[in-house]
Amino acid sequence: MSGDRDPGLQPERTRLAWRRTTLSGTVAAVLGAKAALQDGASASAVTACVACCLLWLALLFLAHHRIRVLASTTTPPALQPRRATAAVLCTVALAVCAAALVV
């Protein structure tokens, strides 16, 4: 068995998955901001809106870095556990913040 890995179309599918994740994060952040600013801006709504925006920016940074790594090499390295954990936490926290603003 050879030690070389044949990635096939996996990097392309992974790149598309990162793009879908950032798109859903964008929708959550926009809806959260709209809900926070629509009916008068209370301090807690503005705080949650700022949190949504910061989490969205962090998610964009992580995704852009991973997409760039996938495009730059023929055999991309595995995602570092620290970056994977950060991406998961950003995604979940963004969803929670947006849901709290919409409800």
Side-chain angles (χ1 to χ4, degrees):
M1 180 180 272
S2 174
D4 294 335
R5 185 177 141 232
D6 179 22
L9 292 176
Q10 181 187 6
E12 179 69 14
R13 288 190 307 267
T14 304
R15 183 182 66 78
L16 292 171
W18 277 104
R19 290 199 186 268
R20 284 191 306 270
T21 303
T22 56
L23 179 61
S24 63
T26 302
V27 169
V30 168
L31 289 176
K34 180 183 175 207
L37 302 175
Q38 190 171 19
D39 296 326
S42 69
S44 61
V46 170
T47 302
C49 181
V50 169
C52 276
C53 291
L54 291 175
L55 289 165
W56 175 69
L57 287 173
L59 181 63
L60 282 179
F61 173 77
L62 290 165
H64 180 70
H65 179 268
R66 185 61 182 164
I67 289 169
R68 198 174 48 217
V69 167
L70 289 171
S72 67
T73 61
T74 56
T75 55
L79 182 61
Q80 297 172 353
R82 190 176 73 185
R83 288 191 185 265
T85 302
V88 168
L89 290 176
C90 283
T91 303
V92 171
L94 180 59
V96 168
C97 284
L101 284 170
V102 172
V103 171

